[in-house]
Amino acid sequence: MSSTDTSARSGAPIHDRDPAADTEPAELAWRQADEDVFVATSRGEFAGFVTVDDTAHVVHDRHSRRIGCYPSLAAARQALVDATRPPSRSRERLHRRILSRRR
């Protein structure tokens, strides 16, 4: 089926998806939007931004939620990369174990 085929029920286009695209972390592409704003995209989608305020670099995710404040632009960018990386299975298991102990 090609990406231009349509669904028989809805008439909406059906897009072929690459399953590997969802499992591999995408690299962030950075653009300077203003003198004090840097914007990141991942696979063409908005991923977050960094604002620079005197000595602080404040990172926000794709929903504009604040991730943290960092002393350098490099540290701020890495924080967004870490925040957008899907969790590993071992980390998920650890998280579930911690939550089960709290019950």
Side-chain angles (χ1 to χ4, degrees):
M1 194 178 280
S2 76
S3 61
T4 57
D5 291 341
T6 58
S7 170
R9 257 192 255 174
S10 68
I14 299 171
H15 300 284
D16 292 335
R17 297 199 56 174
D18 179 10
D22 294 332
T23 58
E24 296 174 9
E27 290 191 30
L28 297 182
W30 289 92
R31 302 261 180 183
Q32 188 168 3
D34 202 355
E35 184 177 303
D36 58 350
V37 179
F38 296 85
V39 178
T41 57
S42 174
R43 293 186 182 104
E45 296 289 324
F46 176 70
F49 63 99
V50 175
T51 58
V52 181
D53 181 22
D54 294 327
T55 59
H57 297 79
V58 183
V59 182
H60 295 84
D61 68 7
R62 65 186 179 131
H63 300 289
S64 298
R65 292 181 297 226
R66 184 178 168 149
I67 293 174
C69 186
Y70 299 88
S72 70
L73 181 58
R77 286 181 172 188
Q78 185 60 47
L80 187 59
V81 168
D82 294 342
T84 57
R85 184 175 295 142
S88 67
R89 286 185 176 179
S90 60
R91 189 172 182 183
E92 281 295 310
R93 283 193 301 266
L94 175 63
H95 182 71
R96 275 188 258 123
R97 261 191 295 170
I98 291 170
L99 290 178
S100 68
R101 289 179 188 166
R102 292 182 182 175
R103 292 179 187 159

